[in-house]
Amino acid sequence: MLLHSVNLWNLAFYAFMVFMATLGLWDVFFGFEENKCSMSYMFEYPEYQKIELPKKLAKRYPAYELYLYGEGSYAEEHKVLPLTGIPVLFLPGNAGSYKQVRSIGSIALRKAEDIDFKYHFDFFSVNFNEELVALYGGSLQKQTKFVHECIKTILKLYKGQEFAPKSVAIIGHSMGGLVARALLTLKNFKQDLINLLVTQATPHVAPVMPLDRFITDFYMTVNNYWILNARQINLTTLSVAGGFRDYQVRSGLTFLPKLSHHTSALSVVSSAVPKTWVSTDHLSIVWCKQLQLTTIRAFFDLIDADTKQITQNPKKKLSVLNHHFIRHPAKHFEENPSIISDLTGTSMWVPVKVSKWTYVAYNESDKIYFTFPLANHRKIYTHVHCQSTMLDTNSWIFGCINSTSMCRQGVDLSWKAELLPTIKFLTLRLQDYPSLSHLVVYVPSIHGSKFVVDCEFFKKETRSIQLPVTHLFSFGLSSRKVILNTSGLFYNIELLNFGQIYQAFKINVVSKCSGVKEEITSIYKLHIPWSYEDSLTIAQVPSSTEISVKLHIAQPDNDSHVALLKMYTSSDCQYEVTVKTSFSQILGQVVRFHGGALPAYVISSILLAYGGQLYSLFSTGHCLEYATLLDKEAKPYKVDPFVIMVKFLLGYKWFKELWDMLLLPELDAIVLTSQSMCFPLVSLILFLFGTCTAYWGGLLSSTSVRLLSSLWLALKRPSELPKDIKIISPDLPILTIVLILISWTTCGAFAILLTYLYYVFKIVHLQASLTTFKNSQTVNPKHSRRSEKKSNHHKDSVVHHLRLSASDAEDSLRMHSTLINLLTWIVLLSMPSLIYWLKNLRYYFKLNPDPCKPLAFILIPTMAILGNTYTTSIKSRKNPSLTCYSFGVTPSLVIDISLILPFTQLPSIMPKAFLLLAGALVLPGLVQGVMLGNEEKWKPLNIPRNRDLKSGGFKTTDEASH
């Protein structure tokens, strides 16, 4: 039925918006590389030993538990406490299980076995009962306090040991990482209890979906503390993001806020982590073998040989993390590496005087030192680049000082090299090493192995090529390309004018090779200099490779670096690089960064349509279709100017003080602008998406009511249309009181759901009654006309007993369908707290704190009254007070509830001011419809102008009577 009220052009527009939204959603949920993580397996059956907590603690936190992970003989040995290892505490995230510790715990156990348990780690894990803390923030503080108690309990397990630990390392997944950071905000917490914090896919900056004020307050407390006390916080922290595969927590949220200057904090995306080089989704980040191996290597390198615990030296901690997570030189970590190396032994010394050199090593029996004199090369070239496919951890490249043909000692330059999946390489600027006379490349004696070593001298300008990216609004119809004809080993392609998150491109690299018989591998590395979010693409050439290019973090205003596409190529191949805008990925970025704001836009559109229905009801006495008014009223120009105006006024101190005095939350448009996260036209795009969602939601709501009414008719034939219309029926106050008591004693979201179901039941019953009436009218039209005349006569003669006609019922259903659409969103947004309450019902009968309780107290009586409200009262000329109450006060309350919603349920969603404007548009429309219409137009309504102050009612004038 809803489709009939929209013309074909509007229907085509809504279908087109669905297509656009689908493109964005597809990019977010499917537009990424395949999962390249190797699965981590347990060698023996995993066991989780429950650690007994003090009785008071167990009674205070009945839903939480602490476990020790183990396998096989290790698990058997450690059932008898105390322990002797290094304690590590794993904190699961939103709906996470304590058993997720098994991947990293098993890998650490295998590593300890390899070194005969010289050192080993004891992995503990907390059971948070798989709570939805990302959607319900009421338990975050409770979890934080429990973790504090767990740390003290863990340290007591090591009492009496020779190397008893005084602190623990923490690995936090998702919201578990935020809980770990929140420990520092506790009054009695000692910072020395944590010696290292590693977070995995933790949204540090802001919540993914701020559905209640407890989440936003928690975030504000934690981040403000860390920012204000950055100098006093000595806790070494590493945050690892999953990249674009993680669509639950976008990587931009994982970068520690405003701590880039703080030397103890690092933030990196897993695709940029050496020896990992893969993107992980939100769950695989805890079991991805490549990443867990990197983490365990770092943990073992952090051990102090004297204390047999994780080192307390912050410089060493940061050095180890940089070595394993930022830049790996293809060597084992050494705290104080020897810079000078002895180049002795029976070896061949071979001088190389050419500027480009390649050596293929295979079954070498002797060690060979290839020497490159630098004196002549400095006059012509600026840089030297050497690379090797031999990926061992031995030193392989040196610099000699004042040498002629050979040198006894050389400067070990291997520490300045960098590791890639198939090569290790070193690029030096000759100007930085004026004291070096020779460059020496070492080829060890090998048997049965084959590798290739390449070196070349070059000028920087010949390897740096500028490629301006295409315009945002080119929609992929135009492209720009460069061709690499020279035979170099690598190139830097500078992607000019690329630094905003709303930019997204596809780069196509086509390689053509001549005279190549063996398989050749090329590596394309997207390097983002202002954040550690690099990504690698490995291609077998000749081939055509497509690379997706988009950002997690926008380029800071004070940063002048340029994003680079680093190409490690073959000298036998020609490369053609083409860049063009990817429209689908731009839509994906909009959804990724601002998708959480969509519910507020949807509610704004529904409110605007509802205001139009109220206006038509008061002006004509009939309610127009929801879809018609949605198309007419939901316009961006009714919303955007208000936000722009508020954003401008908030720049003035007096308005900001007034805003804060009214306890209004900070406007998200300002926050997003400060974080360089505002897209051009993002408001318009999201408003269109919101209107489209509101339309299809209205269609679904109307269809659902009709289907449920058909089911009702199949089960039980309903009575006729209501004959006696009363807004407050005898059972309504009792029902309202019962539901409010349920909200007070149990859970506000549960009471809201029950009220919503009652409301839907009333509307379904009305729809079924109307269907029965229409069917009977079709069978016996004469009888129906007589009944309608009788109904109209009854309506004129009896004021206090209004009879509902078919047209009145249809008008009422249109109004109620809109309200069901609106209330459905309110119910959906309150579901997380209901799920949390149901999950913990065996521990707590009453949800505390309850974010939905204030909303329930307002919503329950309003929905109860609305369920008994019909449009026929507006056509009653002799009952104006009833009219004002039914369609003046009640709808206003609903609007007020919807306006309260963003502040109680969605405090950090972007268009809060949009909702304010929506209410501001609806209410004036209501007033205008009642007070400012002309007499001809308003005769059915005609509100009396004389009021009897003594009786408290209205005196009906003769004009009003007629």
mmCIF file of all heavy atoms in Angstrom, residues 450-484:
data_model
loop_
_atom_site.group_PDB
_atom_site.id
_atom_site.type_symbol
_atom_site.label_atom_id
_atom_site.label_comp_id
_atom_site.label_asym_id
_atom_site.label_seq_id
_atom_site.Cartn_x
_atom_site.Cartn_y
_atom_site.Cartn_z
ATOM 1 N N LYS A 450 69.959 -21.102 -3.211
ATOM 2 C CA LYS A 450 70.191 -20.135 -4.271
ATOM 3 C C LYS A 450 69.570 -18.816 -3.879
ATOM 4 O O LYS A 450 68.417 -18.781 -3.429
ATOM 5 C CB LYS A 450 69.584 -20.636 -5.582
ATOM 6 C CG LYS A 450 69.810 -19.704 -6.769
ATOM 7 C CD LYS A 450 69.178 -20.288 -8.027
ATOM 8 C CE LYS A 450 69.378 -19.346 -9.211
ATOM 9 N NZ LYS A 450 68.784 -19.884 -10.456
ATOM 10 N N PHE A 451 70.315 -17.740 -4.024
ATOM 11 C CA PHE A 451 69.782 -16.414 -3.758
ATOM 12 C C PHE A 451 70.478 -15.413 -4.668
ATOM 13 O O PHE A 451 71.512 -15.702 -5.283
ATOM 14 C CB PHE A 451 69.921 -16.035 -2.281
ATOM 15 C CG PHE A 451 71.338 -15.880 -1.802
ATOM 16 C CD1 PHE A 451 71.936 -14.629 -1.788
ATOM 17 C CD2 PHE A 451 72.068 -16.980 -1.356
ATOM 18 C CE1 PHE A 451 73.240 -14.476 -1.329
ATOM 19 C CE2 PHE A 451 73.362 -16.834 -0.914
ATOM 20 C CZ PHE A 451 73.954 -15.581 -0.892
ATOM 21 N N VAL A 452 69.887 -14.219 -4.730
ATOM 22 C CA VAL A 452 70.366 -13.180 -5.632
ATOM 23 C C VAL A 452 70.673 -11.928 -4.828
ATOM 24 O O VAL A 452 69.899 -11.540 -3.943
ATOM 25 C CB VAL A 452 69.323 -12.861 -6.720
ATOM 26 C CG1 VAL A 452 69.854 -11.783 -7.674
ATOM 27 C CG2 VAL A 452 68.954 -14.122 -7.489
ATOM 28 N N VAL A 453 71.793 -11.309 -5.122
ATOM 29 C CA VAL A 453 72.186 -10.040 -4.499
ATOM 30 C C VAL A 453 72.311 -9.000 -5.603
ATOM 31 O O VAL A 453 72.954 -9.251 -6.633
ATOM 32 C CB VAL A 453 73.513 -10.176 -3.734
ATOM 33 C CG1 VAL A 453 73.853 -8.863 -3.028
ATOM 34 C CG2 VAL A 453 73.439 -11.306 -2.728
ATOM 35 N N ASP A 454 71.677 -7.838 -5.406
ATOM 36 C CA ASP A 454 71.732 -6.742 -6.381
ATOM 37 C C ASP A 454 72.188 -5.471 -5.690
ATOM 38 O O ASP A 454 71.808 -5.216 -4.525
ATOM 39 C CB ASP A 454 70.358 -6.500 -6.991
ATOM 40 C CG ASP A 454 69.851 -7.695 -7.768
ATOM 41 O OD1 ASP A 454 70.213 -7.815 -8.946
ATOM 42 O OD2 ASP A 454 69.085 -8.495 -7.182
ATOM 43 N N CYS A 455 72.957 -4.663 -6.407
ATOM 44 C CA CYS A 455 73.329 -3.328 -5.944
ATOM 45 C C CYS A 455 73.307 -2.372 -7.129
ATOM 46 O O CYS A 455 73.634 -2.766 -8.265
ATOM 47 C CB CYS A 455 74.720 -3.323 -5.308
ATOM 48 S SG CYS A 455 74.785 -4.036 -3.652
ATOM 49 N N GLU A 456 72.924 -1.134 -6.870
ATOM 50 C CA GLU A 456 72.982 -0.115 -7.913
ATOM 51 C C GLU A 456 73.135 1.261 -7.280
ATOM 52 O O GLU A 456 72.631 1.532 -6.186
ATOM 53 C CB GLU A 456 71.728 -0.160 -8.785
ATOM 54 C CG GLU A 456 70.443 0.206 -8.066
ATOM 55 C CD GLU A 456 69.250 0.293 -9.006
ATOM 56 O OE1 GLU A 456 69.460 0.317 -10.231
ATOM 57 O OE2 GLU A 456 68.121 0.363 -8.514
ATOM 58 N N PHE A 457 73.852 2.124 -7.986
ATOM 59 C CA PHE A 457 73.978 3.522 -7.605
ATOM 60 C C PHE A 457 73.060 4.334 -8.512
ATOM 61 O O PHE A 457 72.933 4.043 -9.713
ATOM 62 C CB PHE A 457 75.435 3.980 -7.768
ATOM 63 C CG PHE A 457 76.382 3.325 -6.806
ATOM 64 C CD1 PHE A 457 76.940 2.085 -7.076
ATOM 65 C CD2 PHE A 457 76.718 3.958 -5.617
ATOM 66 C CE1 PHE A 457 77.811 1.478 -6.191
ATOM 67 C CE2 PHE A 457 77.590 3.362 -4.711
ATOM 68 C CZ PHE A 457 78.135 2.114 -5.005
ATOM 69 N N PHE A 458 72.442 5.378 -7.934
ATOM 70 C CA PHE A 458 71.478 6.132 -8.735
ATOM 71 C C PHE A 458 71.339 7.561 -8.196
ATOM 72 O O PHE A 458 71.773 7.869 -7.073
ATOM 73 C CB PHE A 458 70.113 5.442 -8.706
ATOM 74 C CG PHE A 458 69.500 5.356 -7.328
ATOM 75 C CD1 PHE A 458 68.651 6.348 -6.855
ATOM 76 C CD2 PHE A 458 69.772 4.273 -6.494
ATOM 77 C CE1 PHE A 458 68.091 6.262 -5.592
ATOM 78 C CE2 PHE A 458 69.211 4.181 -5.232
ATOM 79 C CZ PHE A 458 68.370 5.180 -4.786
ATOM 80 N N LYS A 459 70.719 8.393 -9.002
ATOM 81 C CA LYS A 459 70.341 9.739 -8.578
ATOM 82 C C LYS A 459 68.899 9.699 -8.078
ATOM 83 O O LYS A 459 68.034 9.061 -8.701
ATOM 84 C CB LYS A 459 70.467 10.713 -9.742
ATOM 85 C CG LYS A 459 71.895 11.007 -10.153
ATOM 86 C CD LYS A 459 71.916 12.037 -11.270
ATOM 87 C CE LYS A 459 73.346 12.355 -11.681
ATOM 88 N NZ LYS A 459 73.407 13.363 -12.772
ATOM 89 N N LYS A 460 68.642 10.405 -7.011
ATOM 90 C CA LYS A 460 67.320 10.353 -6.389
ATOM 91 C C LYS A 460 66.218 10.793 -7.346
ATOM 92 O O LYS A 460 65.136 10.188 -7.401
ATOM 93 C CB LYS A 460 67.299 11.239 -5.138
ATOM 94 C CG LYS A 460 65.956 11.232 -4.412
ATOM 95 C CD LYS A 460 65.958 12.160 -3.216
ATOM 96 C CE LYS A 460 64.593 12.170 -2.532
ATOM 97 N NZ LYS A 460 64.568 13.103 -1.390
ATOM 98 N N GLU A 461 66.499 11.843 -8.135
ATOM 99 C CA GLU A 461 65.446 12.382 -8.998
ATOM 100 C C GLU A 461 65.026 11.401 -10.096
ATOM 101 O O GLU A 461 63.919 11.502 -10.644
ATOM 102 C CB GLU A 461 65.885 13.704 -9.627
ATOM 103 C CG GLU A 461 67.202 13.645 -10.379
ATOM 104 C CD GLU A 461 68.393 13.973 -9.499
ATOM 105 O OE1 GLU A 461 68.251 13.874 -8.245
ATOM 106 O OE2 GLU A 461 69.437 14.354 -10.041
ATOM 107 N N THR A 462 65.897 10.435 -10.411
ATOM 108 C CA THR A 462 65.522 9.459 -11.437
ATOM 109 C C THR A 462 64.615 8.365 -10.898
ATOM 110 O O THR A 462 64.014 7.625 -11.680
ATOM 111 C CB THR A 462 66.786 8.815 -12.036
ATOM 112 O OG1 THR A 462 67.484 8.103 -11.000
ATOM 113 C CG2 THR A 462 67.686 9.865 -12.651
ATOM 114 N N ARG A 463 64.521 8.261 -9.594
ATOM 115 C CA ARG A 463 63.699 7.205 -8.989
ATOM 116 C C ARG A 463 62.464 7.751 -8.272
ATOM 117 O O ARG A 463 61.679 6.958 -7.746
ATOM 118 C CB ARG A 463 64.536 6.386 -8.000
ATOM 119 C CG ARG A 463 65.719 5.728 -8.637
ATOM 120 C CD ARG A 463 65.304 4.850 -9.808
ATOM 121 N NE ARG A 463 66.428 4.411 -10.592
ATOM 122 C CZ ARG A 463 67.155 3.346 -10.313
ATOM 123 N NH1 ARG A 463 66.862 2.624 -9.264
ATOM 124 N NH2 ARG A 463 68.165 3.025 -11.080
ATOM 125 N N SER A 464 62.319 9.052 -8.209
ATOM 126 C CA SER A 464 61.140 9.670 -7.595
ATOM 127 C C SER A 464 60.273 10.255 -8.697
ATOM 128 O O SER A 464 60.695 11.176 -9.408
ATOM 129 C CB SER A 464 61.543 10.757 -6.599
ATOM 130 O OG SER A 464 62.251 10.194 -5.517
ATOM 131 N N ILE A 465 59.082 9.724 -8.855
ATOM 132 C CA ILE A 465 58.174 10.140 -9.925
ATOM 133 C C ILE A 465 56.887 10.647 -9.287
ATOM 134 O O ILE A 465 56.307 9.996 -8.407
ATOM 135 C CB ILE A 465 57.874 8.959 -10.864
ATOM 136 C CG1 ILE A 465 59.184 8.445 -11.476
ATOM 137 C CG2 ILE A 465 56.896 9.366 -11.957
ATOM 138 C CD1 ILE A 465 59.025 7.165 -12.246
ATOM 139 N N GLN A 466 56.441 11.794 -9.710
ATOM 140 C CA GLN A 466 55.229 12.389 -9.160
ATOM 141 C C GLN A 466 54.018 11.961 -9.983
ATOM 142 O O GLN A 466 54.039 11.997 -11.217
ATOM 143 C CB GLN A 466 55.346 13.911 -9.142
ATOM 144 C CG GLN A 466 56.401 14.425 -8.182
ATOM 145 C CD GLN A 466 56.445 15.933 -8.113
ATOM 146 O OE1 GLN A 466 55.916 16.614 -8.996
ATOM 147 N NE2 GLN A 466 57.060 16.477 -7.071
ATOM 148 N N LEU A 467 52.981 11.562 -9.281
ATOM 149 C CA LEU A 467 51.732 11.146 -9.922
ATOM 150 C C LEU A 467 50.565 11.784 -9.173
ATOM 151 O O LEU A 467 50.158 11.293 -8.122
ATOM 152 C CB LEU A 467 51.607 9.616 -9.901
ATOM 153 C CG LEU A 467 50.326 9.030 -10.503
ATOM 154 C CD1 LEU A 467 50.202 9.403 -11.971
ATOM 155 C CD2 LEU A 467 50.282 7.515 -10.329
ATOM 156 N N PRO A 468 50.028 12.897 -9.688
ATOM 157 C CA PRO A 468 48.863 13.507 -9.030
ATOM 158 C C PRO A 468 47.659 12.579 -9.110
ATOM 159 O O PRO A 468 47.384 11.989 -10.166
ATOM 160 C CB PRO A 468 48.637 14.798 -9.838
ATOM 161 C CG PRO A 468 49.905 15.014 -10.604
ATOM 162 C CD PRO A 468 50.464 13.655 -10.861
ATOM 163 N N VAL A 469 46.964 12.442 -8.013
ATOM 164 C CA VAL A 469 45.779 11.579 -8.007
ATOM 165 C C VAL A 469 44.625 12.283 -8.702
ATOM 166 O O VAL A 469 44.626 13.508 -8.858
ATOM 167 C CB VAL A 469 45.384 11.198 -6.557
ATOM 168 C CG1 VAL A 469 46.474 10.383 -5.907
ATOM 169 C CG2 VAL A 469 45.057 12.438 -5.730
ATOM 170 N N THR A 470 43.652 11.518 -9.131
ATOM 171 C CA THR A 470 42.499 12.080 -9.817
ATOM 172 C C THR A 470 41.571 12.767 -8.824
ATOM 173 O O THR A 470 41.609 12.527 -7.615
ATOM 174 C CB THR A 470 41.727 10.980 -10.563
ATOM 175 O OG1 THR A 470 41.492 9.886 -9.664
ATOM 176 C CG2 THR A 470 42.522 10.491 -11.754
ATOM 177 N N HIS A 471 40.697 13.622 -9.360
ATOM 178 C CA HIS A 471 39.804 14.409 -8.521
ATOM 179 C C HIS A 471 38.739 13.525 -7.882
ATOM 180 O O HIS A 471 38.362 12.477 -8.416
ATOM 181 C CB HIS A 471 39.133 15.506 -9.348
ATOM 182 C CG HIS A 471 38.469 16.561 -8.504
ATOM 183 N ND1 HIS A 471 37.151 16.459 -8.105
ATOM 184 C CD2 HIS A 471 38.943 17.714 -7.972
ATOM 185 C CE1 HIS A 471 36.835 17.519 -7.364
ATOM 186 N NE2 HIS A 471 37.902 18.288 -7.268
ATOM 187 N N LEU A 472 38.270 13.983 -6.733
ATOM 188 C CA LEU A 472 37.275 13.228 -5.971
ATOM 189 C C LEU A 472 36.016 12.971 -6.782
ATOM 190 O O LEU A 472 35.420 11.892 -6.718
ATOM 191 C CB LEU A 472 36.924 13.991 -4.685
ATOM 192 C CG LEU A 472 35.851 13.381 -3.775
ATOM 193 C CD1 LEU A 472 36.344 12.086 -3.171
ATOM 194 C CD2 LEU A 472 35.462 14.361 -2.677
ATOM 195 N N PHE A 473 35.592 13.962 -7.578
ATOM 196 C CA PHE A 473 34.333 13.862 -8.311
ATOM 197 C C PHE A 473 34.528 13.430 -9.766
ATOM 198 O O PHE A 473 33.669 13.673 -10.604
ATOM 199 C CB PHE A 473 33.592 15.203 -8.266
ATOM 200 C CG PHE A 473 33.204 15.613 -6.881
ATOM 201 C CD1 PHE A 473 33.846 16.672 -6.239
ATOM 202 C CD2 PHE A 473 32.208 14.938 -6.194
ATOM 203 C CE1 PHE A 473 33.498 17.045 -4.957
ATOM 204 C CE2 PHE A 473 31.856 15.302 -4.914
ATOM 205 C CZ PHE A 473 32.496 16.361 -4.280
ATOM 206 N N SER A 474 35.654 12.787 -10.037
ATOM 207 C CA SER A 474 35.834 12.231 -11.376
ATOM 208 C C SER A 474 35.098 10.905 -11.540
ATOM 209 O O SER A 474 34.906 10.430 -12.661
ATOM 210 C CB SER A 474 37.321 12.034 -11.673
ATOM 211 O OG SER A 474 37.888 11.084 -10.786
ATOM 212 N N PHE A 475 34.707 10.298 -10.406
ATOM 213 C CA PHE A 475 33.893 9.076 -10.378
ATOM 214 C C PHE A 475 34.535 7.929 -11.163
ATOM 215 O O PHE A 475 33.836 7.068 -11.693
ATOM 216 C CB PHE A 475 32.492 9.343 -10.910
ATOM 217 C CG PHE A 475 31.742 10.383 -10.138
ATOM 218 C CD1 PHE A 475 31.535 11.646 -10.672
ATOM 219 C CD2 PHE A 475 31.262 10.120 -8.867
ATOM 220 C CE1 PHE A 475 30.854 12.618 -9.957
ATOM 221 C CE2 PHE A 475 30.572 11.076 -8.147
ATOM 222 C CZ PHE A 475 30.378 12.336 -8.692
ATOM 223 N N GLY A 476 35.848 7.935 -11.260
ATOM 224 C CA GLY A 476 36.539 6.854 -11.941
ATOM 225 C C GLY A 476 36.469 6.912 -13.456
ATOM 226 O O GLY A 476 36.904 5.978 -14.131
ATOM 227 N N LEU A 477 35.936 8.016 -13.993
ATOM 228 C CA LEU A 477 35.821 8.129 -15.451
ATOM 229 C C LEU A 477 37.126 8.589 -16.092
ATOM 230 O O LEU A 477 37.325 8.395 -17.287
ATOM 231 C CB LEU A 477 34.682 9.097 -15.810
ATOM 232 C CG LEU A 477 33.290 8.696 -15.283
ATOM 233 C CD1 LEU A 477 32.267 9.758 -15.633
ATOM 234 C CD2 LEU A 477 32.867 7.346 -15.855
ATOM 235 N N SER A 478 37.981 9.219 -15.314
ATOM 236 C CA SER A 478 39.274 9.666 -15.827
ATOM 237 C C SER A 478 40.388 9.019 -15.014
ATOM 238 O O SER A 478 40.160 8.551 -13.893
ATOM 239 C CB SER A 478 39.388 11.192 -15.761
ATOM 240 O OG SER A 478 39.318 11.631 -14.416
ATOM 241 N N SER A 479 41.588 8.990 -15.568
ATOM 242 C CA SER A 479 42.717 8.362 -14.892
ATOM 243 C C SER A 479 44.000 9.089 -15.242
ATOM 244 O O SER A 479 44.048 9.878 -16.193
ATOM 245 C CB SER A 479 42.819 6.881 -15.276
ATOM 246 O OG SER A 479 43.052 6.747 -16.669
ATOM 247 N N ARG A 480 45.044 8.811 -14.455
ATOM 248 C CA ARG A 480 46.377 9.347 -14.721
ATOM 249 C C ARG A 480 47.371 8.198 -14.596
ATOM 250 O O ARG A 480 47.201 7.327 -13.737
ATOM 251 C CB ARG A 480 46.718 10.462 -13.729
ATOM 252 C CG ARG A 480 45.901 11.725 -13.972
ATOM 253 C CD ARG A 480 46.107 12.737 -12.887
ATOM 254 N NE ARG A 480 45.320 13.933 -13.149
ATOM 255 C CZ ARG A 480 45.051 14.867 -12.249
ATOM 256 N NH1 ARG A 480 45.539 14.744 -11.025
ATOM 257 N NH2 ARG A 480 44.336 15.926 -12.558
ATOM 258 N N LYS A 481 48.398 8.244 -15.436
ATOM 259 C CA LYS A 481 49.336 7.122 -15.413
ATOM 260 C C LYS A 481 50.753 7.579 -15.696
ATOM 261 O O LYS A 481 50.989 8.658 -16.261
ATOM 262 C CB LYS A 481 48.910 6.057 -16.407
ATOM 263 C CG LYS A 481 49.032 6.470 -17.875
ATOM 264 C CD LYS A 481 48.605 5.312 -18.774
ATOM 265 C CE LYS A 481 48.697 5.693 -20.259
ATOM 266 N NZ LYS A 481 48.278 4.579 -21.137
ATOM 267 N N VAL A 482 51.694 6.745 -15.264
ATOM 268 C CA VAL A 482 53.109 6.925 -15.555
ATOM 269 C C VAL A 482 53.658 5.591 -16.034
ATOM 270 O O VAL A 482 53.150 4.526 -15.668
ATOM 271 C CB VAL A 482 53.894 7.416 -14.318
ATOM 272 C CG1 VAL A 482 53.456 8.807 -13.907
ATOM 273 C CG2 VAL A 482 53.748 6.433 -13.166
ATOM 274 N N ILE A 483 54.710 5.673 -16.865
ATOM 275 C CA ILE A 483 55.353 4.467 -17.391
ATOM 276 C C ILE A 483 56.810 4.458 -16.938
ATOM 277 O O ILE A 483 57.525 5.460 -17.103
ATOM 278 C CB ILE A 483 55.266 4.418 -18.932
ATOM 279 C CG1 ILE A 483 53.794 4.362 -19.371
ATOM 280 C CG2 ILE A 483 56.014 3.203 -19.471
ATOM 281 C CD1 ILE A 483 53.606 4.401 -20.867
ATOM 282 N N LEU A 484 57.237 3.348 -16.342
ATOM 283 C CA LEU A 484 58.607 3.196 -15.870
ATOM 284 C C LEU A 484 59.380 2.379 -16.907
ATOM 285 O O LEU A 484 59.246 1.159 -16.987
ATOM 286 C CB LEU A 484 58.620 2.497 -14.507
ATOM 287 C CG LEU A 484 57.687 3.067 -13.433
ATOM 288 C CD1 LEU A 484 57.794 2.253 -12.160
ATOM 289 C CD2 LEU A 484 58.003 4.526 -13.158
#
